[in-house]
């Protein structure tokens, strides 16, 4: 892959896992370009500028909700010049050049701090935090399309707020018990399963999405009709991201709850997993550990939003929140304490 630096001396360093996730979210791939000019070099530059502008629009749409963008449209005036300042680099994925024409597919990498600053100034709520990784299982009620439907999914997702690893082979179905997923979940470093069930016929494919965790199953929704399998897959990914944004975007509505809870676990590794789930939740702030013992800990934190929204967020992360005689108790949905 050819890399063209947009701004001299700017280096995008992604050493940690969090930085790698940030790069994935802030890279818009597969942007088609076709530009003509008096020279190939000029056509290429026009293509890069066009890709940055299109990519900036997609980048903002990726981490915000449509209703928020619409309500703030007057305060968010995206121009080609602004898109150029938001971009850090352009990656050439495919290109054909010659006779003053430049065609291809480009990927644009954006500066997270610049995008966040732009959205904050425009007062547009956003989330660029990825949801818990999921094992994605493509299924179909029609055996004739089940294999090709599974093959249409990449091994891992790219640029999605919901990162997924695809399970192949038709081994699983909606009725598969949670316990049978343990091996593939561990291999994929995933904490939940997402079923993408295809229905319909060519020209009118729909995908019904549901989430399975140790706490049970939950339906996300169904896409609108799509003309082909590729479009159906993209619509499914968009619906997953939209569902995540609706649960993860935090609005300053004044609803903040202070909670002190007991965390019960069976091992140090499980404690670290539970603690990590709380720290990664976009609804949690001011997390503090008050005491730690061999089988339990006492923590205090603040969560934003309703009790049900918070409980749902934890459930997707494999954590159960229950009210018991000793007070609020957090446990792993896997161990079932």
């Amino acid at each position: 892959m050819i890399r063209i630096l947009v701004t001299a001396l700017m280096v995008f360093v992604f050493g940690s896992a969090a930085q790698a996730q940030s790069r994935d979210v802030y890279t818009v791939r597969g942007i088609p370009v076709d530009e003509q000019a008096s020279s190939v070099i000029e056509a290429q530059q026009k293509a890069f500028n066009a890709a940055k502008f299109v990519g900036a629009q997609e980048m903002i749409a990726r981490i915000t909700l449509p209703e928020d963008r619409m309500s703030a449209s007057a305060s968010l005036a995206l121009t080609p010049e602004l898109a150029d300042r938001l971009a850090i680099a352009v990656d050439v994925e495919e290109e054909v050049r010659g006779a003053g024409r430049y065609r291809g597919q480009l990927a644009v990498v954006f500066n997270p701090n610049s995008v966040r600053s732009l959205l904050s100034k425009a007062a547009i709520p956003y989330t660029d935090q990825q949801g818990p990784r999921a094992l994605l299982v493509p299924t179909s009620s029609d055996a004739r399309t089940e294999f090709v439907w599974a093959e249409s999914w990449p091994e891992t997702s790219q640029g999605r707020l919901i990162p997924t690893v695809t399970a192949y082979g038709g081994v699983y179905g909606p009725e598969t018990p949670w316990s049978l997923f343990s091996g593939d979940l561990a291999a994929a470093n995933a904490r939940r399963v997402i079923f993408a069930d295809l229905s319909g016929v060519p020209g009118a494919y729909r995908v019904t999405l549901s989430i399975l965790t140790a706490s049970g199953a939950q339906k996300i929704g169904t896409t609108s009709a799509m003309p082909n399998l590729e479009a159906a897959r993209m619509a499914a990914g968009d619906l997953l991201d939209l569902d995540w944004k609706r649960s993860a975007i935090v609005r300053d509505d004044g609803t903040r709850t202070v909670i002190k809870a007991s965390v019960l676990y069976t091992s140090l590794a499980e404690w670290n997993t539970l603690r990590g789930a709380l720290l990664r939740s976009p609804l949690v702030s001011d997390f503090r550990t008050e005491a730690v013992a061999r089988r339990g800990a006492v923590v205090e934190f603040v969560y934003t939003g309703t009790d049900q929204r918070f409980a749902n967020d934890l459930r997707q992360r494999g954590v159960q929140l229950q009210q018991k005689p000793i007070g609020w108790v957090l446990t792993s949905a896997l161990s079932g304490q």
Side-chain angles (χ1 to χ4, degrees):
M1 179 177 287
I2 306 168
R3 164 144 296 183
I4 292 85
L5 293 182
V6 176
T7 305
L9 303 180
M10 294 190 71
V11 181
F12 220 18
V13 180
F14 300 95
S16 67
Q19 288 172 321
Q21 287 183 347
S22 181
R23 171 173 178 156
D24 184 41
V25 170
Y26 280 92
T27 300
V28 178
R29 299 174 175 84
I31 303 172
V33 292
D34 189 348
E35 298 289 342
Q36 289 183 302
S38 57
S39 69
V40 173
I41 297 300
E42 185 180 348
Q44 182 189 55
Q45 190 57 54
K46 286 177 64 177
F48 285 4
N49 291 338
K52 283 183 278 187
F53 184 60
V54 171
Q57 292 175 307
E58 185 174 333
M59 181 68 253
I60 291 170
R62 177 178 291 176
I63 62 177
T64 62
L65 290 168
E67 58 266 31
D68 292 329
R69 295 194 300 275
M70 183 173 296
S71 63
S73 58
S75 59
L76 183 64
L78 186 64
T79 63
E81 293 75 21
L82 178 55
D84 183 63
R85 293 197 296 271
L86 295 176
I88 289 179
V90 176
D91 288 340
V92 178
E93 297 178 327
E94 298 177 12
E95 67 174 2
V96 178
R97 56 170 71 206
R101 186 179 183 185
Y102 185 91
R103 294 173 293 160
Q105 281 198 344
L106 305 177
V108 181
V109 185
F110 291 93
N111 186 321
N113 292 332
S114 298
V115 175
R116 292 166 187 154
S117 177
L118 174 68
L119 294 175
S120 296
K121 288 179 181 177
I124 300 178
Y126 68 91
T127 182
D128 55 7
Q129 181 180 9
Q130 289 183 308
R133 182 183 296 273
L135 182 70
L136 187 132
V137 180
T139 60
S140 175
S141 55
D142 188 343
R144 294 171 297 179
T145 60
E146 187 166 15
F147 176 78
V148 68
W149 173 233
E151 287 294 309
S152 72
W153 288 84
E155 183 178 348
T156 58
S157 62
Q158 286 188 321
R160 289 293 185 181
L161 292 176
I162 297 296
T164 60
V165 177
T166 305
Y168 294 106
V171 176
Y172 302 120
E175 305 303 320
T176 303
W178 170 257
S179 59
L180 296 185
F181 288 100
S182 59
D184 281 344
L185 285 168
N189 192 27
R191 300 197 59 79
R192 55 187 182 155
V193 177
I194 293 177
F195 289 102
D197 188 57
L198 181 73
S199 60
V201 295
Y205 286 119
R206 287 181 169 83
V207 184
T208 299
L209 296 163
S210 58
I211 294 177
L212 177 66
T213 67
S215 302
Q218 179 183 358
K219 183 177 178 180
I220 297 176
T222 302
T223 68
S224 56
M226 292 290 121
N228 53 55
L229 294 181
E230 177 67 14
R233 181 178 66 80
M234 295 299 293
D238 290 343
L239 182 56
L240 283 174
D241 283 356
L242 180 64
D243 179 73
W244 169 248
K245 285 186 286 188
R246 294 206 186 284
S247 66
I249 288 178
V250 178
R251 302 177 188 278
D252 189 12
D253 59 0
T255 307
R256 289 168 57 85
T257 305
V258 180
I259 183 172
K260 181 177 286 188
S262 300
V263 183
L264 305 183
Y265 44 85
T266 60
S267 65
L268 180 61
E270 189 170 274
W271 156 242
N272 287 331
T273 297
L274 291 167
R275 180 176 177 273
L278 287 167
L279 290 172
R280 286 190 295 272
S281 171
L283 306 181
V284 172
S285 60
D286 300 331
F287 180 88
R288 184 161 57 94
T289 304
E290 294 194 344
V292 178
R294 193 165 64 92
R295 295 296 184 185
V298 177
V299 299
E300 184 175 293
F301 54 88
V302 177
Y303 69 85
T304 303
T306 65
D307 297 346
Q308 187 60 50
R309 183 186 183 193
F310 179 55
N312 287 340
D313 179 74
L314 291 183
R315 188 179 301 112
Q316 292 200 42
R317 299 173 188 277
V319 179
Q320 288 183 324
L321 175 65
Q322 296 174 301
Q323 178 75 61
K324 294 190 175 183
I326 63 172
W328 287 107
V329 175
L330 291 160
T331 58
S332 168
L334 282 173
S335 65
Q337 273 202 35

